[in-house]
Amino acid sequence: MSWAIPKTVLGDKIIWDLSKIPGRKKGTWSGKDDQLWRCRKTKKFEASLLIYLPRGSTFVDGGAHFGDTIITIALYARETLQRNDLRFIAFEPNPIKAQFIRDCAAINGFDEETVRVIECVLGDETALGSATVRKSRYCEFDGRISYEWTDFSDDCEKENSCASPTASDEALFDVRRLDDFFDLIHPLGFLHLDVEGWEAAALNGASALLSTSEPGGRCYILAECFTFEEARRRGPGFSLVQEHDIMSIMVKFPQFVRGEDLIDEEKNLFFVREGS
């Protein structure tokens, strides 16, 4: 391993394995930051809310990528806020990325009870081994965009380069609802969703979690939401009315109030439940 000790966007030292970030040789899509400093505004915003999370609550990162968000936030909670009561769960279907998160969490001193990684696609159904995910950044499954599964080869690293994949260009993943992990997650403190167009489905699959609160049970949701232009640019399979899709689910949870949208590298919808 080639571990380096840079700092996160929040100023905490982090041990980060540069050799396992595939884009390093060619420059990452978000700049020469090896993914660690991407979405800086989002990370800082989420960190500013950690102090308000109920004791013993869980921060969920859906679509955790290389764990740059969840490890950054977990380090800030431990090192800056001394919030050792919080738990962190990353959902990431790509096994290479999932293992990277586990290794990174461990070498930064987190045990599996504090930072847990679950390999699955988040949706509104439980369907084991049913999600066909193509090895390209832009792809679709049952008319909806799939999670990205990128092998970072020269061919599949380019946009839409695997538009007509063969069987070898596909992988099967389990689709799970967040409610399937109710006992593991509850009480939910923060839900971060960046799941390549499945945000509405993931929220729909979290009905029990979002409907259940405890005294003082403040909860936040930050869900990526492609604009019409961005969805159209990405091609078939993306909903062109993703904001409508998300809001049609969130109307079922009137205890959540929509706040100001967060515009970072993408548009994000923000919701808050103040708790009783």
Side-chain angles (χ1 to χ4, degrees):
M1 291 186 179
S2 175
W3 294 100
I5 309 180
K7 288 186 177 181
T8 70
V9 297
L10 303 174
D12 299 299
K13 287 186 177 180
I14 182 173
I15 304 176
W16 189 251
D17 187 358
L18 300 180
S19 70
K20 288 190 176 180
I21 303 297
R24 179 170 172 76
K25 291 182 292 186
K26 303 174 184 178
T28 65
W29 59 268
S30 55
K32 296 180 179 179
D33 56 26
D34 304 298
Q35 305 299 322
L36 188 57
W37 276 38
R38 72 187 187 102
C39 301
R40 306 178 193 186
K41 185 176 180 180
T42 300
K43 292 182 173 77
K44 291 178 179 179
F45 176 72
E46 293 178 333
S48 72
L49 299 175
L50 291 183
I51 193 172
Y52 304 112
L53 300 190
R55 288 195 61 79
S57 60
T58 305
F59 183 105
V60 171
D61 186 0
H65 197 44
F66 280 101
D68 50 285
T69 292
I70 200 162
I71 300 298
T72 293
I73 297 297
L75 281 170
Y76 184 79
R78 184 184 70 188
E79 302 298 328
T80 302
L81 300 181
Q82 284 79 54
R83 289 292 307 266
N84 294 318
D85 59 290
L86 299 177
R87 295 169 295 131
F88 301 85
I89 301 179
F91 288 90
E92 172 53 54
N94 186 322
I96 297 173
K97 293 179 178 180
Q99 190 56 51
F100 178 90
I101 301 171
R102 292 189 186 97
D103 293 342
C104 189
I107 203 165
N108 280 284
F110 293 106
D111 59 35
E112 294 182 3
E113 294 300 313
T114 304
V115 177
R116 186 185 299 264
V117 184
I118 298 174
E119 293 180 35
C120 71
V121 171
L122 291 178
D124 53 8
E125 62 179 350
T126 298
L128 305 183
S130 66
T132 302
V133 180
R134 296 177 180 175
K135 294 181 181 178
S136 60
R137 187 174 298 277
Y138 305 119
C139 43
E140 61 179 277
F141 161 65
D142 281 356
R144 295 183 296 179
I145 195 67
S146 79
Y147 269 61
E148 65 175 309
W149 162 261
T150 311
D151 64 2
F152 298 101
S153 67
D154 289 336
D155 292 333
C156 289
E157 198 171 44
K158 301 174 184 177
E159 295 182 6
N160 296 314
S161 62
C162 297
S164 301
T166 63
S168 63
D169 292 321
E170 298 178 340
L172 286 176
F173 294 100
D174 295 341
V175 178
R176 301 291 298 272
R177 302 175 306 144
L178 281 167
D179 282 346
D180 293 341
F181 305 95
F182 183 93
D183 291 340
L184 189 63
I185 296 173
H186 182 71
L188 175 65
F190 204 115
L191 176 57
H192 171 112
L193 288 174
D194 179 359
V195 289
E196 300 302 306
W198 282 46
E199 285 77 11
L203 288 167
N204 199 35
S207 294
L209 279 166
L210 298 181
S211 299
T212 305
S213 63
E214 297 180 340
R218 184 174 292 193
C219 182
Y220 302 99
I221 300 172
L222 194 68
E224 184 179 75
C225 178
F226 294 141
T227 62
F228 174 85
E229 293 76 14
E230 176 65 13
R232 193 167 76 171
R233 182 184 72 80
R234 291 183 173 234
F238 284 98
S239 171
L240 299 178
V241 289
Q242 190 175 1
E243 183 170 343
H244 173 271
D245 297 340
I246 292 173
M247 293 305 299
S248 68
I249 300 300
M250 291 305 299
V251 73
K252 299 191 301 182
F253 312 111
Q255 64 272 44
F256 280 90
V257 176
R258 182 172 175 180
E260 184 177 350
D261 296 346
L262 176 68
I263 310 298
D264 197 355
E265 294 187 15
E266 304 285 357
K267 177 180 178 180
N268 298 269
L269 305 189
F270 176 62
F271 304 89
V272 58
R273 183 188 67 206
E274 292 294 348
S276 56

